[in-house]
Amino acid sequence: MKRRHLLAAAFAATLAPFSAMAANFVDYTPGVIEDALAEGKTVFVDFSASWCSTCRRQERVINAIRSEDPAYDAAMKFVKVDWDTYKSAAVTTDRAIPRRSTLLVLRGDAELGRIVAGTSQSQIKALMDKGLKAPAS
């Protein structure tokens, strides 16, 4: 029994950095994206569902990229939109989001880029780099 607890604790400790990074996503509430954009921030938006395996893969890639370079966190606000809650809301329909596992980078009134269901590290990093290199407004 003690061995099971030890293994569970070791596993949890291994995931701690990723859990902390995931905590740096702001959970979407109406107005959070618009407020950040109005403040001149670049916003990385992750439309995801907890049950979606593609979404979980995207999150692992995003967290790995963010952990390698803290400049992403300094340059962008990361917002997670729960697909099950907001799939029919304006945050989704106004931006013509076709499905969960959609990633966006926004700056001012512009959409700098999007990925739909892509999970490759190079593709996601390229999208994040657009946000990193976005000129200040």
Side-chain angles (χ1 to χ4, degrees), residues 62-101:
I62 293 164
N63 288 340
I65 294 168
R66 290 171 72 187
S67 69
E68 291 171 6
D69 189 350
Y72 292 107
D73 287 325
M76 290 185 278
K77 182 170 193 159
F78 288 80
V79 177
K80 186 170 291 286
V81 179
D82 183 282
W83 181 259
D84 293 327
T85 303
Y86 292 105
K87 67 183 168 192
S88 299
V91 67
T92 304
T93 58
D94 289 354
R95 291 185 176 89
I97 304 303
R99 56 173 285 167
R100 71 210 179 286
S101 68

Side-chain angles (χ1 to χ4, degrees), residues 26-39 43 77 79 81 86 89-91 95:
V26 173
D27 288 331
Y28 176 78
T29 56
V32 73
I33 295 171
E34 292 76 11
D35 291 347
L37 293 172
E39 293 171 11
V43 182
K77 182 170 193 159
V79 177
V81 179
Y86 292 105
V91 67
R95 291 185 176 89

Side-chain angles (χ1 to χ4, degrees), residues 1 7 10 13 34 40-41 45-46 51 93 100-101 107 109 120 123 126 137:
M1 195 64 146
L7 289 174
E34 292 76 11
K41 295 180 181 174
V45 187
D46 179 1
W51 48 266
T93 58
R100 71 210 179 286
S101 68
R107 176 91 180 160
D109 293 334
S120 83
Q123 186 182 27
S137 52

